[in-house]
């Protein structure tokens, strides 16, 4: 396996900690010794072992007696200052590891750029990963929330809005379930598994009575947040009565984000209420906007009678920065036997 392969594995491990490590970053590590993986680990929870220490302990459990000459691949620059636990650079030196490769410099000014100096004093080589750009991007995505939180004190905010082909997020009676398909809902569940908090507006709670919880792999560390100016919310709503994750209510979204940041919350998924999403964007507080466009035409019908597309073209393509989604609503949209339909070049022109 190459450096890129080992770092990709470290990123895969680090992703397991997302949504559970606040206020620490999600980090993964892989130790290579004797031509193969000797140990691997990830940071699971603040106050617990950092990824480097977890990987060292993993190697010991596997019966590796010496890590002399070993290389450790880490998604984030190892910390060089002790906090709730010891400094990772000290643990690396004590384990006898000879080389450190990390993908992302620590955004925390207290640690940034200091690992190499701390390790060099003990003869340990330290270098930044310069391999596959996609692997580096995956490692960066693990700490996007930490980067914002440690530099601004605010959470990283992702807005997710689902809408129909005709631009509706609900029908004329306010019903919004289900615009998206089962596959999209599974992906939303994965998002819920990997964030610290989910935020919705009061109207979403009143109309949809959502649980705001991941259904496949519950995240017991998730915080549910409801923004309500009036504070008038149904007492029997799931978020208050299901006995699951705690729910916080705020009268202002900006105030909510400031308080959540003080609590160590690093990532917030805003899932409900276009008005809430727009207010956050207007205030410059949205870091990422995810629009799920379902191949559904609602019009003036009830959502249960919406027309769902049955033929699809090959995803989306970019033309001058815009994304185009193509869906056929009738059998005339594609010729028989065409499969998924027309393919496009990167500039939006039909392929021959």
């Amino acid at each position: 396996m190459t450096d890129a392969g080992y770092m990709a594995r470290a990123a895969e491990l680090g992703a397991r900690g997302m949504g559970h490590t606040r206020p620490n970053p999600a980090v993964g590590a892989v130790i290579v010794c004797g031509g193969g993986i000797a140990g691997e680990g990830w940071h699971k929870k603040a106050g617990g072992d950092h990824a480097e220490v977890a990987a060292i302990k993993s190697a010991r459990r596997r019966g590796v007696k010496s890590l002399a000459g070993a290389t450790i691949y880490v998604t984030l620059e190892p910390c060089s200052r002790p906090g709730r636990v010891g400094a990772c650079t000290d643990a690396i030196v004590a384990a006898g590891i000879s080389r450190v490769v990390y993908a992302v410099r620590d955004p925390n000014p207290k640690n940034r750029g200091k690992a190499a100096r701390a390790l060099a004093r003990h003869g340990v080589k330290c270098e930044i990963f310069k391999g596959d750009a996609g692997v580096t991007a995956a490692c960066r995505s693990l700490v996007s929330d930490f980067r914002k939180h440690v530099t601004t004190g605010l959470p990283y905010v992702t807005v997710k809005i689902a809408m129909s082909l005709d631009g509706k997020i609900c029908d004329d009676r306010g019903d919004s379930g289900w615009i998206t398909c089962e596959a999209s809902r599974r992906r939303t569940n994965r998002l819920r598994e990997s964030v610290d908090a989910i935020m919705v507006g009061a109207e979403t709670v009143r109309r949809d009575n959502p649980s705001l919880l991941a259904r496949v792999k519950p995240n017991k560390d998730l915080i549910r947040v409801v923004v309500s100016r009036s504070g008038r919310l149904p007492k029997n709503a799931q978020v208050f009565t299901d006995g699951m994750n705690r729910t916080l209510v705020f009268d202002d979204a900006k105030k909510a984000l400031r308080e959540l940041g003080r609590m160590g919350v690093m990532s917030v998924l805003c899932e409900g209420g276009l008005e809430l999403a727009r207010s956050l964007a207007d205030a410059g507080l949205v870091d990422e906007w995810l629009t799920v466009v379902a191949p559904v035409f609602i019009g003036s019908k009830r959502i249960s009678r919406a027309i769902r597309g049955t033929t699809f073209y090959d995803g989306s393509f970019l033309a001058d920065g815009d994304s185009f989604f193509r869906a056929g609503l009738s059998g005339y949209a594609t010729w028989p036997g065409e499969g998924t339909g027309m393919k496009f070049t990167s500039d939006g022109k039909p392929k021959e």
Side-chain angles (χ1 to χ4, degrees):
M1 191 181 291
T2 63
D3 278 8
Y6 292 126
M7 191 62 78
R9 174 58 179 167
E12 180 184 335
L13 293 166
R16 297 180 185 181
M18 293 183 72
H20 306 286
T21 64
R22 63 176 181 267
N24 294 344
V27 182
V30 171
I31 298 174
V32 176
C33 187
I37 293 178
E40 52 185 30
W42 68 95
H43 185 41
K44 297 180 180 179
K45 197 172 185 66
D49 290 336
H50 287 190
E52 297 91 329
V53 174
I56 291 168
K57 289 183 177 180
S58 167
R60 300 304 187 207
R61 288 193 299 271
R62 296 183 184 193
V64 179
K65 295 181 179 180
S66 173
L67 291 176
T71 296
I72 185 168
Y73 296 85
V74 193
T75 56
L76 182 68
E77 178 183 359
C79 63
S80 54
R81 290 165 50 98
R84 293 175 64 178
V85 297
C88 290
T89 51
D90 292 342
I92 289 168
V93 170
I97 294 171
S98 303
R99 176 174 173 249
V100 175
V101 180
Y102 66 88
V104 182
R105 290 186 173 90
D106 195 330
N108 188 344
K110 295 180 180 179
N111 288 310
R112 183 180 175 89
K114 297 180 180 179
R117 293 196 296 272
L119 292 167
R121 288 195 291 268
H122 300 275
V124 179
K125 295 179 181 179
C126 185
E127 59 193 75
I128 191 161
F129 174 69
K130 295 179 180 178
D132 188 277
V135 174
T136 299
C139 295
R140 286 175 178 163
S141 70
L142 291 177
V143 294
S144 295
D145 53 357
F146 176 72
R147 177 169 172 254
K148 182 180 181 183
H149 184 258
V150 79
T151 54
T152 69
L154 293 172
Y156 184 96
V157 178
T158 300
V159 165
K160 194 221 85 173
I161 295 291
M163 66 171 57
S164 64
L165 289 171
D166 53 332
K168 290 193 171 188
I169 64 170
C170 61
D171 62 24
D172 291 344
R173 301 190 187 187
D175 186 4
S176 61
W178 296 95
I179 288 179
T180 56
C181 66
E182 181 60 34
S184 291
R185 294 197 288 275
R186 285 196 299 270
R187 187 167 183 177
T188 296
N189 268 288
R190 290 197 294 272
L191 281 173
R192 291 180 178 182
E193 293 166 10
S194 63
V195 296
D196 294 333
I198 291 182
M199 178 183 288
V200 296
E203 199 61 22
T204 296
V205 174
R206 295 186 190 110
R207 287 186 173 180
D208 298 343
N209 190 24
S211 72
L212 303 180
L213 300 177
R215 296 176 182 85
V216 179
K217 184 181 177 183
N219 180 354
K220 59 183 177 60
D221 299 311
L222 181 73
I223 298 173
R224 300 178 287 194
V225 179
V226 181
V227 178
S228 172
R229 293 190 184 92
S230 67
R232 293 193 295 272
L233 295 164
K235 294 181 180 179
N236 62 345
Q238 284 193 78
V239 292
F240 302 125
T241 61
D242 61 12
M244 303 296 287
N245 301 45
R246 63 174 166 161
T247 300
L248 303 177
V249 178
F250 295 92
D251 60 7
D252 177 78
K254 289 184 284 187
K255 183 191 299 182
L257 291 178
R258 287 195 298 269
E259 181 58 30
L260 290 170
R262 282 193 287 268
M263 294 168 57
V265 169
M266 299 188 300
S267 58
V268 173
L269 174 63
C270 179
E271 264 205 74
L274 189 56
E275 182 180 347
L276 172 61
R278 284 171 173 166
S279 70
L280 290 172
D282 285 342
L285 295 170
V286 175
D287 300 286
E288 186 175 350
W289 188 293
L290 172 61
T291 298
V292 182
V293 182
V296 171
F297 177 80
I298 297 175
S300 59
K301 302 179 178 66
R302 293 298 306 275
I303 199 167
S304 59
R305 297 175 63 85
I307 302 171
R308 178 167 289 273
T310 56
T311 55
F312 308 98
Y313 296 92
D314 279 357
S316 59
F317 61 88
L318 296 178
D320 297 327
D322 295 331
S323 181
F324 287 73
F325 178 83
R326 294 167 62 90
L329 297 185
S330 79
Y332 292 100
T334 56
W335 291 91
E338 265 193 336
T340 57
M342 188 180 296
K343 295 183 179 180
F344 298 87
T345 61
S346 59
D347 61 357
K349 296 178 181 178
K351 286 184 178 180
E352 297 296 334

